[in-house]
């Protein structure tokens, strides 16, 4: 299933990359302002919201790295520390907010991650994606937008229609405060709360992560074809 998903994704991403290139050529004839939108095609680290969080928690809460390294075990957590050591990243740097990390450790971070992670069986740490830059202040990846919009849709203390309108407002390039509020919500969703799983989107993500973990633990290809049923109580 994972291989099929990647094949479908790669097909669509190729089309979107060609479309981005076409639109970029069209914009060449127009003088860009300082606050103009620019979309870049690049390889993205498969780590949840790491630019807005810290590397340590991002790796723990990313389903791919969590399952591959078995971070729910003591041995898995030791592997994570060994990974940081192999990259030359001090633990204190990994546990502070990414924007506060020293420039020398952020330089070439993606390349160092890919090279070192392969030694620990994490072989698909990047995937082709896009990032958007707005002038010189804001840079957001496609995954950042997805997690922000999902968090706004799943917000517990408002009606679903209000959550939808909030997510819709976030799509405007001028509403950065809404996007960043969604990112903060997404980060805080890492705190265990069974009530959150009343939302179908959150429950689906939990089920997907549990299935990926089960596949890694059992090491059986048949596990990918077996249906997985998960439920949560309604308040």
């Amino acid at each position: 299933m994972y291989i099929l998903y990647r094949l479908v994704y790669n097909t669509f991403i190729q089309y979107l990359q060609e479309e981005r290139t076409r639109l970029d050529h069209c914009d060449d004839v127009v003088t860009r302002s300082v606050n103009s939108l620019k979309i870049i095609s690049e390889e993205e680290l498969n780590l949840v919201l790491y630019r807005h969080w810290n590397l340590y928690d991002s790796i723990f809460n990313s389903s791919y790295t969590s399952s591959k390294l078995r971070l729910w075990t003591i041995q898995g957590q030791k592997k994570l520390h060994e990974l940081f050591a192999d990259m030359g990243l001090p633990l204190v740097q990994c546990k502070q907010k990414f924007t506060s990390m020293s420039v020398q450790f952020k330089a070439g971070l993606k390349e160092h991650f890919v090279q070192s992670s392969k030694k620990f069986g994490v072989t698909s740490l990047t995937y082709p994606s896009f990032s958007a830059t707005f002038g010189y202040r804001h840079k957001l990846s496609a995954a950042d937008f997805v997690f922000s919009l999902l968090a706004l849709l799943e917000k517990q203390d408002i009606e679903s229609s209000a959550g939808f309108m909030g997510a819709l407002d976030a799509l405007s390039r001028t509403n950065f405060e809404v996007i960043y509020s969604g990112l903060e919500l997404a980060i805080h969703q890492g705190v265990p709360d069974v009530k959150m799983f009343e939302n179908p989107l959150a429950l689906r993500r939990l089920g997907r992560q549990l299935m990926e973990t089960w596949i890694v633990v059992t090491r059986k290809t048949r596990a990918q074809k077996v249906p997985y049923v998960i439920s949560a109580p309604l308040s």
Side-chain angles (χ1 to χ4, degrees):
M1 181 179 293
Y2 176 76
I3 295 176
L4 177 61
Y5 168 77
R6 287 302 296 261
L7 288 173
V8 173
Y9 179 85
N10 289 337
T11 300
F12 276 100
I13 203 72
Q14 183 177 0
Y15 166 77
L16 292 174
Q17 287 172 341
E18 292 172 355
E19 186 67 9
R20 185 207 65 83
T21 302
R22 183 185 69 81
L23 293 174
D24 197 47
H25 287 321
C26 293
D27 288 342
D28 285 343
V29 297
V30 181
T31 303
R32 286 179 175 155
S33 66
V34 174
N35 295 319
S36 63
L37 166 66
K38 184 177 182 181
I39 298 177
I40 304 170
S41 175
E42 62 181 356
E43 290 290 313
E44 176 73 5
L45 281 173
N46 196 2
L47 300 176
V48 176
L49 301 173
Y50 74 94
R51 295 186 184 91
H52 313 281
W53 207 347
N54 62 73
L55 286 177
Y56 196 87
D57 287 330
S58 175
I59 291 175
F60 253 90
N61 287 276
S62 299
S63 59
Y64 178 70
T65 49
S66 177
S67 59
K68 281 293 186 180
L69 295 173
R70 302 191 179 200
L71 294 179
W72 62 90
T73 67
I74 298 298
Q75 188 62 32
Q77 294 171 29
K78 288 181 179 179
K79 280 187 178 181
L80 178 58
H81 291 182
E82 291 173 4
L83 171 61
F84 287 140
D86 191 80
M87 294 173 59
L89 285 175
L91 201 57
V92 65
Q93 289 283 330
C94 299
K95 289 188 175 183
Q96 67 178 338
K97 196 165 184 178
F98 184 78
T99 53
S100 301
M101 285 182 65
S102 174
V103 176
Q104 70 178 91
F105 295 115
K106 288 196 289 187
L109 181 67
K110 189 183 303 181
E111 291 75 15
H112 293 319
F113 249 122
V114 171
Q115 183 177 359
S116 295
S117 63
K118 290 179 180 178
K119 302 176 184 178
F120 299 87
V122 184
T123 56
S124 301
L125 194 56
T126 62
Y127 62 95
S129 185
F130 301 94
S131 63
T133 57
F134 305 86
Y136 300 107
R137 294 181 56 192
H138 306 281
K139 179 179 179 179
L140 296 167
S141 69
D144 291 338
F145 274 100
V146 170
F147 283 111
S148 177
L149 294 175
L150 284 175
L152 292 170
L153 287 170
E154 297 168 3
K155 196 173 180 182
Q156 296 176 18
D157 57 350
I158 61 173
E159 296 182 0
S160 58
S161 59
F164 176 81
M165 295 306 298
L168 189 62
D169 288 340
L171 293 176
S172 172
R173 70 177 67 178
T174 59
N175 288 343
F176 292 111
E177 66 279 0
V178 182
I179 281 290
Y180 284 113
S181 68
L183 291 173
E184 288 298 320
L185 281 172
I187 289 172
H188 286 101
Q189 281 180 351
V191 179
D193 184 359
V194 69
K195 185 175 176 60
M196 184 183 73
F197 297 114
E198 293 180 1
N199 188 292
L201 293 173
L203 189 63
R204 181 181 179 185
R205 291 208 308 277
L206 174 64
R208 183 179 180 85
Q209 179 159 354
L210 290 174
M211 179 173 280
E212 289 181 6
T213 302
W214 175 248
I215 291 171
V216 170
V217 171
T218 59
R219 296 182 180 179
K220 294 179 180 178
T221 56
R222 184 175 178 274
Q224 301 182 39
K225 302 176 182 179
V226 175
Y228 195 93
V229 180
I230 184 171
S231 63
L234 291 174
S235 58

